Amino acid sequence: MKKMMSPHRQHQLPVPFSCKVLLLPLLLLLVSCASMDPANVDVQIPESAPEVKATTYTQALRDLGLMTDIFGTGDLKIQSNPIGDNTGTSGSTGGEIPRDITEMIKSSLNSIGGQVTFIPYDPAFIQNQIVTGYSNFDNKLIPDVVISGGITEFDRGLETRGDGTDMGVEAEFTNAPSWVPSKSVSVEYGDRGKTGLARITLDFNLLDFQTMAGIPRMNSVNSMEVSKGMAEKELGITLFGPTFGRKGSIKKVQGRHAAVRLLVEVSMIQVVGKYLNLPYWTLLGDDVLPDPVVMDTLSRDFYSSNKSTQVAKAQEWLFLQGHDVQISGVLDAKTLAALKAFNPSFSTENPVLDFDTFAALFQAVPIAPQTLGRRQLIFQSPVVQPSGVLAESGNQLLPIDQPVSTQYREPESQPAQSQPASSGRTTTGSIGRKLTDEEW
């Protein structure tokens, strides 16, 4: 006869199975209870060491100073007005953009070096030094030009865009044990994000220090778009009733102050390079177009110069590029060979120095220490010229019947002409720099 089980024993049969299922997560919970104790909550803060602030244009600022030495621009003494936020949003937005950017401009101008000297504007400091007897106005440098400007636009919320994805899968198991709270298993996933766009614009103008009048076309207006974004993801799993999951979110904001610094640096490169008639855009990347103001000046000086002066300037740039040509103003065999090497399409049978080749030579001068060394050779070496051609000695263009020294010397004083020295333009035969009053 088959032995019958007691009702009590039949009722206890599922217990071992349920214990195995329920005791495992309980055990894990007990093991990790120490780390889950709310009283033991902690957060790890990353630590970093101080580092030099370097931007995309840090090297370009230094190279601009080297460019002024290579092209022999002469000294430029520049001062900046106190410059800040002209929109007034720095206060209403809780300092989202800087209120005063004068120090950024000081750092940018002082980083150039070369022929550019920055003179700070701080009348209170100078006056206090005079009162204490420590200093006076003797030996103080007088600026040539002054920079004015400010943050003129800060447009927030130009574009706000959001997107999201939600999906879920659920299945029901009819043969699940009767002791589980639910007979279903589900998986849910969510992914949401939002982005915002703003724009910052900085305006700068160059003023003549003596007249405090704006120098025509010596300005810059640059804008930069800055973004911010937020993203959230969550994953939830339900197993026969109990639910667990993970969720994460992140928010990133492109630094407004860092964006303003970039705008300041590129604007200072642009204003100084434009005023000194330098191919400064070659320092900013291969995709930057030539400045039309500089190229217009180059074109006007080219077409207002005689052929000998045009050739002499081209020979100077060829020499700076490493070609051992004589700066004679004559298209001799060495010059033609150098022009052919520079531009394979240049015709040596019927040689004509056109503006396109002239402008290409102007922009192709390497900005490197070895190029500065070749500039010093021009300053220090005698230049033998044919009659009627201008020869360069130091920073001064001399008629050929005037002796040219083998060493660099300061230009002698000459009567000033009617054209103001602050026009920001070069004279015929001196493309690439601005002559001083003495050189006029």
Side-chain angles (χ1 to χ4, degrees), residues 391-432:
E392 185 170 298
S393 176
N395 285 338
Q396 185 181 16
L397 294 176
L398 303 175
I400 195 57
D401 55 357
Q402 186 171 348
V404 181
S405 172
T406 58
Q407 297 294 328
Y408 171 71
R409 61 179 181 178
E410 293 293 333
E412 300 177 356
S413 299
Q414 297 181 8
Q417 302 296 324
S418 58
Q419 183 175 354
S422 61
S423 61
R425 300 292 185 270
T426 58
T427 58
T428 300
S430 62
I431 297 171

Side-chain angles (χ1 to χ4, degrees), residues 282-334:
T282 60
L283 307 175
L284 304 179
D286 297 333
D287 57 342
V288 180
L289 297 176
D291 191 309
V293 175
V294 177
M295 297 307 293
D296 287 348
T297 303
L298 189 73
S299 175
R300 185 176 64 252
D301 289 344
F302 175 82
Y303 290 112
S304 62
S305 303
N306 58 46
K307 296 297 182 182
S308 297
T309 304
Q310 295 172 1
V311 172
K313 201 63 186 181
Q315 288 172 330
E316 176 187 330
W317 293 333
L318 285 170
F319 185 83
L320 292 176
Q321 294 175 40
H323 300 281
D324 293 327
V325 298
Q326 186 181 24
I327 305 176
S328 62
V330 177
L331 289 174
D332 52 22
K334 285 188 176 181

Side-chain angles (χ1 to χ4, degrees), residues 318 321 323 337-345 356-357 359-362 364:
L318 285 170
Q321 294 175 40
H323 300 281
L339 289 172
K340 187 69 175 179
F342 175 77
N343 181 11
S345 62
D356 290 339
T357 303
L361 287 170
F362 170 66

Side-chain angles (χ1 to χ4, degrees), residues 224-242:
M224 183 174 178
E225 292 183 346
V226 290
S227 303
K228 62 181 178 180
M230 180 271 296
E232 290 183 350
K233 288 185 178 182
E234 56 183 2
L235 174 66
I237 301 176
T238 301
L239 293 176
F240 303 110

Side-chain angles (χ1 to χ4, degrees), residues 9-24:
R9 187 175 181 183
Q10 289 178 355
H11 179 71
Q12 293 296 325
L13 283 177
V15 172
F17 175 77
S18 62
C19 289
K20 292 178 181 178
V21 175
L22 297 177
L23 287 178
L24 180 60

Side-chain angles (χ1 to χ4, degrees), residues 92-152:
S92 60
T93 59
E96 189 172 354
I97 58 175
R99 180 184 57 83
D100 192 313
I101 60 174
T102 306
E103 291 300 326
M104 292 186 184
I105 295 173
K106 291 180 180 179
S107 298
S108 299
L109 292 174
N110 208 32
S111 297
I112 297 175
Q115 303 291 314
V116 179
T117 301
F118 169 66
I119 301 176
Y121 175 79
D122 196 342
F125 175 78
I126 295 177
Q127 185 177 8
N128 292 337
Q129 293 298 311
I130 294 176
V131 171
T132 57
Y134 291 148
S135 180
N136 52 38
F137 280 101
D138 296 341
N139 301 322
K140 298 295 187 297
L141 296 177
I142 305 301
D144 298 316
V145 293
V146 179
I147 289 180
S148 66
I151 302 176
T152 54

Side-chain angles (χ1 to χ4, degrees), residues 341-358:
F342 175 77
N343 181 11
S345 62
F346 182 82
S347 175
T348 56
E349 297 178 358
N350 187 21
V352 176
L353 181 62
D354 57 8
F355 176 72
D356 290 339
T357 303
F358 189 80

